[in-house]
């Protein structure tokens, strides 16, 4: 056996026990991380094999990805939700993630809904608000069904102000509510007096100032601003310090030229300057616009939404219309604030994974090494996350470059086939809410989109593409 | 010769020809970059050998470095130069770098001096201003001799507004003029009507607004702001986008609460928001404060100033008082704006290398990968520059951490002995001025402090430390 007389180069795939035996015998073995396609699900694996290299899917993905790249979302204005969001009528409340009934909602989402009912004045006390929801006198609908997105609970009610973002290429509009800051805030399920009063101030003073400012400023292109923030340590999901600062710098001169009063301007500026996350909701609306541009391309396996309602994690593909592919939302094993642990956490929540779907957030972590102080890990992990996502995406976005990776574009356009094939799950930077309403954020961390969503999605896509 | 029967590991020091011969014969050789201490200057090398490991120098450097680390510069206010800078009296004009006479000044510095004379009203036309300087009716003095610093020409005349930075630990004050923006500006030697009018506006409206703002805000700690900017892609020398944005966010609420008029505030904000370099001059004043804290420790080889007057490059050591060690200022081989080349460049100019002296700028390039688009090279080069500076510095500054280097502190406290020993020259990110007055910036790039300054400095320091 001359093979065993020389030094062996052993690559081990699968069970570690084989490599262990070699090591115990004094040899060296490299373990290759590998898992069978579709996590070993034979039926899904066969379906996947049929779609891999299918020229119909390849062509559809090229079209969808090109549409995503071509979108140039601009901040057009701010408006009252009921007046600008299509289909938001009467006692309707929008929420994050796929559809969900009141009874099934997680604590923070129920808390946010109650807060929205109080804010709207449909009830004047918490119990009455809860009863209203339980009696079915409030309609619930996902933000995503209305061209909108919202972070965490993602609750948008008719009287709230929303950002209006337009993509001139498609003519479509996208919407997002305004960021309230940290601490006790509606999106984490808080609904006390300070929360409702802040929402009222945002719907009046802040909206008035921003309306006057944007009227004076004209449309503001969002992609260049986001691209600059990526060069300044943001990934525009969980870190928006630079983007918020740049936005404020952009808004200030028109704000001071506008007809808004000095006191209102001072209050608006203090509010925005005091909240590093203020830009997040604009980032989300911009990402929504880029991905809506890629929707409804028959045969495309490109993911156009990933969203969580705090109970279920859902994704949508360009080639399967408005269908959601859902499974239980994971609980995030992240960095918890002092006094809290994973036992206190609500399952993953919010539409903010729209940023990862657009190639930002966790996909652009290489741009934001400092974020590891917030979500855990090391700067090398941040770069590794971005690099890994290159294996499950259709291309890179040259509009969003990463200095730490020699100005490579951020990986973008998740291909559900590649996720299912490789088992490399889309990485998401996320905040963590307490599972009870009203307590707020208790941590942040990195989570992954569950494989089951992709299994279902690829199976459903295959059903639209009969064998020729 | 059994040695040559096995595979050789060859390290080659010195002439490449030896390594080439081995490679031609089919072997492998690694070339080690090495140069003899003191660049081969036997006398300086012997002097250096005497100071290496000298316990007096080691103890002095520990004290100087600790004083540098302990400084906590705060922005205290803004004032008229003649009223706040010690020794700036009558027709005196401060300038960048070591002392220099009018006749020897480079084009941009003469241009800036003429502009300052016009701004002060000591003459009303360029020719008259030039004649005044030629007749010796204006006194010239380096900024550094007055606790001040200034970028490029570094011209500060009595009526200009200056930042006042104080270090509570030492009680000392440092000063810097205010950044004018890019294009035709005094610091690059321009002195036309628009330049003088802008200076007049800065001395009145901008000063009034900032005075009112800082009165309302109270002292602003500068190191935390700079540290945050390092996490946002700035190195606070040639890239100040984040720091300027963060400063503006910090100043806005007090500015709007202040007694300044709305029109003046609007104009001040438009000016600051329109200039990514606005923070540079504050960064310089803060660095000056940190390094002045380390001055005058007998026996210390720590560099406390590196500055250029456009003709000569000078350094000062903690252990040698106010002596300058000078040699010809190099011309920077950087990235030139279209239409310009190295033939058009003035030699290296300005006090802004105070940032590198304090462990920022080129020393903190790892924080600012995007700066390579401005000064040349790749993000890997940026990290390599920071890493190299670790070989010539006394320690690292834990107050200024670098995400891309796993949050290591920036290398700081240049030890003139180590520079002379290793030949590794301090790296400086710098702007490049046209050699003629009035044209302005024509590029940017990376330059190095010349070895000759360190040879002289170490020799002079040795003279203060007799053999025991």
């Amino acid at each position: 056996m001359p093979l065993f007389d020389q030094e062996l180069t052993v690559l081990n795939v699968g069970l570690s026990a084989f490599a262990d035996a070699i090591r115990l015998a004094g040899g060296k073995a490299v373990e290759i991380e590998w898992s069978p396609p579709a996590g070993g699900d034979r039926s899904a694996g066969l379906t996947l094999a049929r779609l891999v290299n299918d020229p119909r899917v390849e062509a559809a993905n090229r079209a969808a990805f090109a549409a995503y790249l071509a979108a140039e979302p601009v901040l057009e204005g701010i408006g009252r939700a009921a007046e600008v969001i299509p289909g938001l009528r009467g006692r309707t409340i929008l929420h994050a993630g796929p559809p969900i009934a009141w009874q099934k909602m997680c604590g923070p989402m129920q808390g946010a809904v109650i807060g929205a009912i109080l804010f709207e004045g449909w009830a004047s006390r918490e119990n009455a608000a809860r009863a209203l929801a339980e009696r079915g006198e409030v309609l619930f609908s996902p933000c995503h069904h209305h061209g909108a997105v919202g972070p965490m609970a993602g609750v948008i009610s008719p009287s709230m102000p929303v950002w209006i973002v337009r993509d001139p290429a498609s003519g479509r509009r996208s919407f997002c509510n305004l960021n309230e800051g940290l601490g006790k805030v509606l999106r984490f399920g808080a609904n006390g007096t300070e929360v409702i009063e802040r929402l009222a101030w945002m719907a009046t003073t802040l909206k008035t100032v921003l309306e006057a400012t944007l009227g004076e400023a004209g449309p503001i292109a969002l992609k260049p601003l986001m691209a600059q923030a990526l060069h300044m340590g943001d990934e525009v999901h969980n870190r928006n310090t630079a983007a918020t600062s740049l936005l404020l710098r952009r808004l200030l001169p028109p704000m001071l030229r506008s007809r808004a009063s000095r006191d209102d301007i001072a209050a608006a500026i203090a509010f925005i300057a005091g909240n590093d996350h203020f830009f997040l909701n604009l980032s989300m609306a911009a990402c929504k616009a880029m991905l809506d541009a890629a929707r409804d391309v028959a045969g495309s396996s490109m993911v156009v939404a990933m969203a969580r309602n705090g109970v279920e994690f859902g994704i949508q593909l360009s080639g399967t219309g408005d269908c959601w592919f859902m499974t239980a939302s994971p609980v995030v094993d992240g960095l918890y604030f002092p006094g809290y642990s994973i036992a206190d956490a609500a399952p993953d929540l919010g539409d903010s994974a729209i940023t990862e779907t657009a190639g930002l957030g966790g996909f652009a972590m290489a741009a934001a090494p400092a974020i590891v102080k917030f979500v855990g890990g090391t700067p090398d992990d941040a770069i590794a996350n971005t690099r890994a996502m290159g294996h499950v995406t259709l291309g890179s976005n040259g509009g969003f470059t990463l200095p730490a990776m020699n100005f490579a574009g951020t990986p973008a356009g998740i291909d559900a086939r590649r996720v299912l094939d490789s088992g490399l799950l889309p990485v998401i930077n996320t905040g963590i809410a307490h599972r009870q309403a009203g307590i707020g954020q208790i941590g942040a961390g990195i989570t992954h989109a569950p494989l089951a969503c992709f299994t279902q999605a690829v199976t459903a896509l295959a059903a639209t593409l009969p064998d020729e």
Side-chain angles (χ1 to χ4, degrees), chain A:
Chain A
M1 299 286 280
L3 178 65
F4 293 105
D5 292 339
Q6 62 190 54
E7 192 174 357
L8 292 174
T9 306
V10 179
L11 305 176
N12 185 61
V13 178
L15 285 180
S16 291
F18 292 105
D20 292 343
I22 293 167
R23 285 198 201 97
L24 283 171
K28 286 179 197 161
V30 172
E31 289 193 70
I32 295 179
E33 226 178 286
W34 181 85
S35 61
D41 175 334
R42 182 176 160 77
S43 155
L46 289 171
T47 304
L48 174 64
R50 200 159 67 71
L51 292 196
V52 170
N53 300 325
D54 184 317
R56 294 168 296 179
V57 181
E58 299 297 326
N61 282 347
R62 276 194 297 276
F65 189 65
Y68 151 79
L69 287 180
E72 291 290 349
V74 295
L75 170 56
E76 197 183 55
I78 187 168
R80 192 171 166 272
E83 285 163 22
V84 295
I85 297 184
L88 177 52
R89 290 198 195 85
R91 287 188 172 178
T92 301
I93 288 180
L94 307 187
H95 62 78
I100 189 164
W102 163 262
Q103 287 75 11
K104 294 201 169 171
M105 286 178 186
C106 66
M109 190 178 278
Q110 286 195 339
V113 165
I114 289 167
I117 291 172
L118 296 172
F119 164 70
E120 293 290 343
W122 300 339
S124 56
R125 297 242 300 267
E126 187 183 331
N127 282 350
R130 184 178 289 277
L132 205 71
E134 275 169 5
R135 287 200 305 272
E137 293 183 24
V138 177
L139 290 177
F140 296 103
S141 186
C143 291
H144 266 295
H145 292 191
H146 302 262
V149 278
M152 299 310 291
V155 159
I156 301 176
S157 66
S159 306
M160 290 183 185
V162 290
W163 294 115
I164 305 167
V165 167
R166 198 169 63 86
D167 172 26
S170 68
R172 250 186 265 240
R173 284 164 143 203
S174 307
F175 311 94
C176 190
N177 49 11
L178 270 64
N179 198 284
E180 313 158 75
L182 286 177
K184 296 233 179 282
V185 288
L186 192 79
R187 71 180 185 281
F188 282 100
N191 53 29
T193 310
E194 66 172 302
V195 176
I196 308 303
E197 282 174 358
R198 189 191 302 114
L199 289 176
W201 176 83
M202 290 168 72
T204 50
T205 307
L206 184 62
K207 175 164 174 280
T208 303
V209 172
L210 288 173
E211 232 161 12
T213 303
L214 294 173
E216 183 75 25
I220 295 174
L222 292 171
K223 276 169 79 171
L225 208 155
M226 295 160 82
Q228 200 183 345
L230 289 184
H231 285 196
M232 294 169 69
D234 285 359
E235 36 71 281
V236 293
H237 179 178
N238 257 299
R239 198 173 150 99
N240 283 286
T241 310
T244 298
S245 305
L246 293 170
L247 176 71
L248 193 55
R249 267 176 73 176
R250 183 77 175 71
L251 293 180
L252 285 168
M255 193 180 284
L256 285 154
R257 284 197 311 267
S258 78
R259 62 180 188 279
S261 82
R262 177 160 176 169
D263 283 352
D264 288 354
I265 288 176
I269 285 178
F271 181 77
I272 299 170
N275 175 13
D276 275 338
H277 293 273
F278 189 74
F279 187 80
L280 168 63
N281 301 41
L282 261 181
S283 170
M284 288 174 60
C287 290
K288 174 70 175 157
M290 294 178 226
L291 290 160
D292 275 3
R295 276 186 181 259
D296 299 321
V297 180
S300 170
S301 59
M302 179 171 154
V303 178
V304 293
M306 300 195 290
R308 310 88 88 190
N309 59 28
V311 176
E312 283 171 310
F313 192 114
I315 71 169
Q316 296 182 311
L317 300 192
S318 174
T320 53
D322 293 333
C323 296
W324 288 98
F325 306 105
M326 296 182 284
T327 192
S329 194
V331 178
V332 182
D333 185 13
L335 290 184
Y336 285 86
F337 300 163
Y340 296 104
S341 75
I342 194 166
D344 304 307
D348 201 14
L349 175 65
D351 287 336
S352 61
I354 195 74
T355 57
E356 278 80 10
T357 320
L360 297 161
F363 282 53
M365 270 187 85
I371 203 173
V372 301
K373 296 276 185 194
F374 190 55
V375 297
T378 69
D380 283 346
D381 295 337
I383 290 175
N385 275 329
T386 294
R387 212 178 289 279
M389 292 304 101
H391 295 293
V392 296
T393 41
L394 293 167
S396 63
N397 188 334
F400 296 136
T401 59
L402 304 165
M405 294 179 71
N406 206 13
F407 301 99
T410 182
I414 303 166
D415 183 348
R417 297 175 306 171
R418 293 186 204 196
V419 174
L420 192 60
D421 187 28
S422 65
L424 279 170
L425 301 173
V427 63
I428 298 168
N429 289 341
T430 194
I432 305 172
H434 197 285
R435 62 193 161 78
Q436 288 160 21
I439 296 181
Q441 185 167 9
I442 59 170
I446 291 172
T447 184
H448 294 89
L451 188 69
C453 297
F454 297 88
T455 313
Q456 296 168 39
V458 168
T459 307
L461 182 69
T464 71
L465 295 163
D467 280 326
E468 278 158 340

